[in-house]
Amino acid sequence: MENLRKDLTMNNRFLIGQFETFDKQKQEREFREGFKGIELCQFANTQDIDEIFEFSRIRGLDIGVHFPLRKGHWTYRDPQYLSLDAQTKSESYAYMADEFAYIASKGAEYVLLHYPKPVILDRKVDWDRCWRFADATEYYYEDDYTYETFKEKSKDFFKWLNEEAKKYQIKVYLELDAVNGYLYETNLLSELLDEFDQIRLCLDIGRLHLQNKIDDSFDPFDFIGKFGKYVDHVHLWNVKVTNNVEGGHHPMLPSLKPQEGWADVEAYFKALNQNCGDYTILFEHYAGNISDQELQACYNWINQLV
């Protein structure tokens, strides 16, 4: 395994993920010399949180958090700060405030949240084909949620989040969930990001590819061209979309061909490199599904494309 890891000097903008627990075998297998750090999500106990922060401090690694850091502190993983239900909205802000304070106390470099939540959906698109929701509270349809309401509640959220970023001196990324016309057909998102400049974007290549395949109104490359200057972080995984959806969160491999339904990885990186600054990359894939040789091939290929 050690010989496999010496093919190339790895890019210092790469991170691996740790989910629910500090998996030392995963850390040993997936991390490479030169990687930037680790992104954490939904840890089940605080002992693991303390251990991985200490581990990273000793080794000089950065820690980012995919909200939430602690599992089970609210009804759902994602706060529903755009909810039309007043109690749900209030609980969501309280949940975010509590978790932000805890994350900042640990010394994380950044925190990432999904936006928008609840998601606003175009009813014409077959979201059931590939989009997963915990239950019906996680989304509205556009015809049930006006643009003016979306604009007002989004601005409230951006203002609150911008203030949290300043208060705790922490980077904040918004990972775009399903993208609706309120975002790609207006200038609202650009205006919010310009006004609240502590907030930056995360693009998820797997999500962009999925939506490109099911939503005729959405062009991910146009979207990257329009919003790339706000992007600081990228989540990287692949999925095969034909009549069926297969292999979600599969590692990016050069053997996975776009003509077979996989994402056109080279085209995405061309768009990212042309429109974005020095973005970081989280390998948000299931590395356990491939061999050690394939994992290193994935890293080598992405290393060349960035």
Side-chain angles (χ1 to χ4, degrees), residues 140-259:
Y140 295 101
Y141 289 102
E142 287 177 350
D143 49 13
D144 295 324
Y145 200 107
T146 69
Y147 173 73
E148 288 304 318
T149 300
F150 182 75
K151 180 178 180 179
E152 177 187 354
K153 290 186 180 295
S154 288
K155 187 166 185 176
D156 289 344
F157 170 62
F158 271 71
K159 181 179 180 181
W160 181 90
L161 193 59
N162 205 64
E163 290 172 353
E164 292 292 288
K166 288 180 179 179
K167 178 168 67 175
Y168 293 116
Q169 293 294 295
I170 191 170
K171 296 178 184 177
V172 174
Y173 302 145
L174 291 182
E175 178 184 346
L176 296 173
D177 208 298
V179 183
N180 72 322
Y182 294 166
L183 296 178
Y184 61 71
E185 292 176 353
T186 76
N187 293 321
L188 174 62
L189 184 56
S190 296
E191 291 168 357
L192 290 172
L193 291 166
D194 287 336
E195 182 175 358
F196 302 106
D197 59 3
Q198 300 299 302
I199 301 170
R200 303 289 289 174
L201 292 184
C202 167
L203 294 182
D204 184 299
I205 301 305
R207 290 177 186 270
L208 291 178
H209 175 58
L210 279 170
Q211 187 162 349
N212 184 41
K213 289 292 188 179
I214 66 171
D215 184 354
D216 293 337
S217 299
F218 178 72
D219 185 319
F221 302 104
D222 285 349
F223 191 83
I224 294 171
K226 184 174 182 179
F227 297 105
K229 66 179 180 178
Y230 303 105
V231 173
D232 281 357
H233 195 52
V234 174
H235 280 182
L236 201 61
W237 53 279
N238 212 335
V239 60
K240 183 178 182 180
V241 187
T242 53
N243 292 330
N244 299 308
V245 178
E246 306 170 46
H249 286 270
H250 198 283
M252 298 289 195
L253 296 172
S255 59
L256 305 179
K257 304 302 182 185
Q259 57 267 32

Side-chain angles (χ1 to χ4, degrees), residues 8 30 43 45 50 62 87 111 121 139 151 157 162-163 173-174 179 192 204 228 244 261-262 275 302:
L8 292 172
E30 297 182 24
F43 269 52
N45 67 73
D50 291 341
D62 289 335
Q87 182 175 344
V111 58
L121 301 177
Y139 62 88
K151 180 178 180 179
F157 170 62
N162 205 64
E163 290 172 353
Y173 302 145
L174 291 182
V179 183
L192 290 172
D204 184 299
N244 299 308
W262 298 96
N275 294 285
I302 302 305

Side-chain angles (χ1 to χ4, degrees), residues 1-2 5 14-19 21-40 43 48 51-57 59-63 282-283 287-288 292 295 299:
M1 184 64 182
E2 287 302 317
R5 298 182 178 193
F14 293 164
L15 301 96
I16 69 165
Q18 290 277 12
F19 180 71
T21 186
F22 183 18
D23 187 332
K24 297 180 179 63
Q25 289 184 329
K26 174 183 173 71
Q27 186 71 27
E28 172 63 23
R29 180 172 185 257
E30 297 182 24
F31 201 82
R32 295 291 183 274
E33 185 70 28
F35 277 22
K36 180 178 177 64
I38 309 166
E39 186 170 293
L40 314 182
F43 269 52
D48 269 7
E51 184 178 359
I52 198 166
F53 270 93
E54 178 64 11
F55 171 88
S56 299
R57 185 191 64 78
R59 288 159 178 78
L61 306 178
D62 289 335
I63 291 283
L282 169 71
F283 289 97
D292 292 342
L295 179 59
Y299 289 157

